[in-house]
Amino acid sequence: MTNHVVLYEPLMPANTGNIARTCAGTNTVLDLIEPLGFQIDNKKMKRAGLDYWDKVEIHRHDDLDAFLKTLDPNDEMYLISKFSSKNYSQVDYTDPNKNYYFVFGKETTGLPETFMREYYDRNLRIPMSDNIRCYNLSNSVAMVLLEALRQQGFPNLETSHHYENDKLKDNYDRPERYERNLGENE
């Protein structure tokens, strides 16, 4: 099982850089569908991804059709869109025999309508109020990807880590510091 974040014609280098960093931290493949709205060596994108670029598996595709040709019949592809009525957390992402592809649209116009209609049953929504048009792209990727990883049991990810200069280290040895009634006034 492999998770893929797919960005359709991303425009903003900082978003793509932040998403690449999230992919590096979660062992997720990043698929970029061209054309990109920036040069891949853009300073803002590199800064957003920090020094993690060598930790990200990136696949570049000439266009949407070229990307679709790479999918195996057993793969699961989901289109993330505010126009869907199905919530992204209502899907089971735990089949170990499947790869999961989460496709996100261009920051300004989203995914092509014809593509969304063709894969109507694959559209998923992140719940939000009508106070905004949409969430930030990198935040949307993190929400959906972390839900899939949560369901999958965070495969190959550390769920806890102890650092040499750990800010909470003394509390590991004294768990009673965690055991207070949150309703108590101190």
Side-chain angles (χ1 to χ4, degrees):
M1 169 179 5
T2 302
N3 293 312
H4 291 250
V5 166
V6 183
L7 302 182
Y8 172 79
E9 299 182 1
L11 295 172
M12 299 178 188
N15 277 338
T16 302
N18 287 332
I19 292 164
R21 184 176 182 173
T22 298
C23 288
T26 58
N27 302 313
T28 299
V29 176
L30 177 59
D31 290 86
L32 300 174
I33 298 175
E34 309 232 4
L36 308 181
F38 50 85
Q39 295 297 317
I40 200 80
D41 61 352
N42 181 291
K43 278 188 206 176
K44 289 180 183 177
M45 189 175 81
K46 285 190 175 189
R47 188 176 324 125
L50 297 174
D51 55 348
Y52 304 113
W53 287 102
D54 63 328
K55 309 280 191 262
V56 183
E57 183 179 338
I58 299 177
H59 300 169
R60 291 177 75 170
H61 307 278
D62 290 336
D63 55 32
L64 186 56
D65 287 334
F67 161 71
L68 290 172
K69 288 176 184 171
T70 67
L71 298 179
D72 183 272
N74 200 39
D75 291 337
E76 293 285 348
M77 179 181 68
Y78 295 101
L79 287 55
I80 311 305
S81 170
K82 70 178 184 178
F83 298 106
S84 177
S85 58
K86 186 173 185 178
N87 185 324
Y88 75 100
S89 65
Q90 296 173 310
V91 176
D92 180 356
Y93 308 110
T94 60
D95 188 333
N97 300 311
K98 295 181 181 283
N99 295 315
Y100 293 93
Y101 289 80
F102 303 101
V103 184
F104 295 84
K106 188 186 306 192
E107 289 96 335
T108 54
T109 57
L111 294 167
E113 184 177 342
T114 54
F115 176 59
M116 292 172 59
R117 288 185 184 282
E118 183 177 351
Y119 294 95
Y120 182 80
D121 62 329
R122 304 267 108 197
N123 285 273
L124 301 176
R125 176 185 177 82
I126 301 171
M128 65 180 179
S129 74
D130 60 1
N131 294 332
I132 59 173
R133 285 185 308 280
C134 62
Y135 290 115
N136 170 275
L137 180 60
S138 60
N139 292 337
S140 297
V141 166
M143 284 186 255
V144 173
L145 181 58
L146 269 282
E147 171 61 18
L149 290 165
R150 181 194 68 78
Q151 288 184 24
Q152 295 164 1
F154 300 107
N156 303 311
L157 301 178
E158 292 182 343
T159 56
S160 67
H161 185 86
H162 300 286
Y163 298 91
E164 184 176 327
N165 296 316
D166 196 325
K167 295 176 182 179
L168 297 175
K169 189 174 187 174
D170 67 328
N171 289 328
Y172 298 131
D173 299 328
R174 296 185 298 168
E176 69 277 359
R177 292 185 69 181
Y178 288 126
E179 297 171 2
R180 59 185 169 127
N181 184 340
L182 295 178
E184 290 178 4
N185 292 330
E186 293 187 356

